[in-house]
Amino acid sequence: MTTYDIAIVGAGIAGASLAAELAPHARVVVLEAEEVAGYHATGRSAAFWSETYGGPGIQPLTSASGPPLRDGGFLEPLGSLHIGRAQDQSRIDAFLAAFAGTHVPLERVDPAALVPGLRPEWTLGVSEPSCAYIDVAGLHAACLARVRRAGGDLVTSASVEHAERHDGVWRIDTSAGIHAARVLVDAAGAWADPVAIRCGVAPLGIQPYRRTVVQLRTDPPTAPGIPHVADIAGGFYFKPEAGGKLWLSPHDETPTDPCDAAAEELDVAIAIDRFEQVVDWRVVAVERRWAGLRSFAPDRHPVYGFDNAAPGFFWFAGQGGFGIQTAPAAASLAAALMLGTDPPAGLDPSRYAPGRFAGPVR
């Protein structure tokens, strides 16, 4: 049985990006419960990069991820428009104030000039021109390819059943056999707490939530150049897709157990109802519907770092809905913590450390 330096549980974008950073410097194995990597949250992402998404606490990770994502060819121009009605003026003001001094480009605009058919009550707008599409599949595949080139291993259908640490080495029992590693990384997304429990580690209270997305065909078709459009009050977002299609979400967050999430009819109906209150376009058909899971720690910030009470156990979880757009910077930060190198400039590891919680959730 090979003893690895690091075993990473989960081969979604979190585990894949971290493994890509670590594999040139350490012997790494990635253990994935599903038959294919990226089946859950990564494969169901709404696929956009926005420096304001997740709030000011996430913005440094997103902004730091921008250059490597652009250099890798994983971003394409999109732009975002945050809209509101008269009663949302305080939200617009607070949004602008929250990102003042961050160098995120934001500008008050007339939203009707950017969205044809916008209903007249939507009078407030803030443009975020840096927002971009993300090639999620391309990014994920590139990370896994880097792992393979560096000699790292990926084992699928390898659900962690139990793990114990003896003499500085984790023995990890999985459905694909036994593996050993000096460091065990929990990058299991919605399953982060259950994996921790199977490893004898106290959970942190990382809660999965269901998020719904539908693909619509509208009349008129989505016009070229329409930006990503988000309700400043958090009631919806939609963005154009190729072929005149539209992706729409009611911005729902429904608490759930870790599962293979599916869209529910009520959430689809809510999404369409909210959309029809924003524009005068007619919904011709719902062509696709799906749901993914987004997982948050109690303070809604990600958790990166060694567990205070479990030597050799590293948390890389709680990325919410922004795990893909922050993947390069988050992976660089976590790799630095594990390898004992300097963290990336502008990122404060203490902000994301598991020790920030008052105590474990039992």
Side-chain angles (χ1 to χ4, degrees), residues 7-351:
I8 300 174
V9 181
I13 193 62
S17 60
L18 181 55
E21 288 292 321
L22 290 169
H25 311 285
R27 187 74 192 275
V28 175
V29 63
V30 184
L31 304 173
E32 169 56 48
E34 302 293 345
E35 293 182 2
V36 296
Y39 176 75
H40 291 287
T42 300
R44 308 178 194 193
S45 167
F48 63 88
W49 178 87
S50 165
E51 292 177 277
T52 63
Y53 191 53
I58 305 304
Q59 176 267 320
L61 288 165
T62 306
S63 295
S65 296
L69 288 172
R70 289 192 190 92
D71 292 346
F74 301 116
L75 297 184
E76 294 184 8
L78 171 62
S80 185
L81 176 66
H82 306 267
I83 64 172
R85 293 165 287 195
Q87 63 265 33
D88 297 316
Q89 184 65 64
S90 61
R91 288 190 173 97
I92 292 284
D93 294 341
F95 175 72
L96 290 167
F99 292 96
T102 63
H103 306 293
V104 177
L106 297 171
E107 179 185 3
R108 294 180 191 265
V109 295
D110 175 8
L114 299 175
V115 183
L118 189 69
R119 297 193 183 278
E121 61 268 29
W122 296 90
T123 56
L124 306 177
V126 174
S127 173
E128 182 184 343
S130 61
C131 180
Y133 291 103
I134 301 179
D135 178 3
V136 177
L139 174 63
H140 187 239
C143 289
L144 293 177
R146 288 172 59 196
V147 175
R148 289 192 295 270
R149 287 196 300 270
D153 294 328
L154 168 65
V155 183
T156 56
S157 300
S159 176
V160 172
E161 298 169 349
H162 178 75
E164 291 183 354
R165 190 171 186 263
H166 299 287
D167 298 325
V169 176
W170 286 94
R171 174 192 163 106
I172 310 159
D173 297 337
T174 80
S175 52
I178 299 172
H179 304 270
R182 294 179 178 84
V183 173
L184 178 55
V185 178
D186 188 346
W191 284 264
D193 271 2
V195 164
I197 292 168
R198 293 171 204 164
C199 298
V201 177
L204 296 180
I206 295 175
Q207 173 64 54
Y209 297 86
R210 187 178 69 247
R211 168 62 55 87
T212 305
V213 183
V214 296
Q215 178 174 297
L216 303 178
R217 181 157 46 91
T218 63
D219 181 19
T222 306
I226 293 291
H228 168 274
V229 178
D231 176 15
I232 196 68
F236 60 84
Y237 61 78
F238 58 86
K239 73 184 185 78
E241 288 294 311
K245 312 299 185 182
L246 188 91
W247 282 11
L248 165 70
S249 173
H251 209 262
D252 50 333
E253 283 189 357
T254 305
T256 182
D257 292 331
C259 64
D260 186 359
E264 297 194 358
E265 289 297 331
L266 178 59
D267 295 323
V268 172
I270 289 171
I272 293 172
D273 177 67
R274 291 177 181 175
F275 177 72
E276 290 175 337
Q277 295 179 46
V278 180
V279 291
D280 62 7
W281 313 344
R282 183 172 65 90
V283 175
V284 176
V286 177
E287 296 185 330
R288 293 175 55 207
R289 65 193 73 196
W290 67 96
L293 298 181
R294 43 204 291 111
S295 303
F296 288 96
D299 63 0
R300 297 182 72 85
H301 283 176
V303 186
Y304 308 141
F306 283 103
D307 190 281
N308 287 355
F313 188 91
F314 191 96
W315 290 91
F316 194 59
Q319 289 95 337
F322 32 81
I324 296 170
Q325 69 173 32
T326 61
S332 294
L333 173 60
L337 294 173
M338 273 186 274
L339 298 173
T341 59
D342 292 334
L347 298 181
D348 178 6
S350 66
R351 173 177 280 185

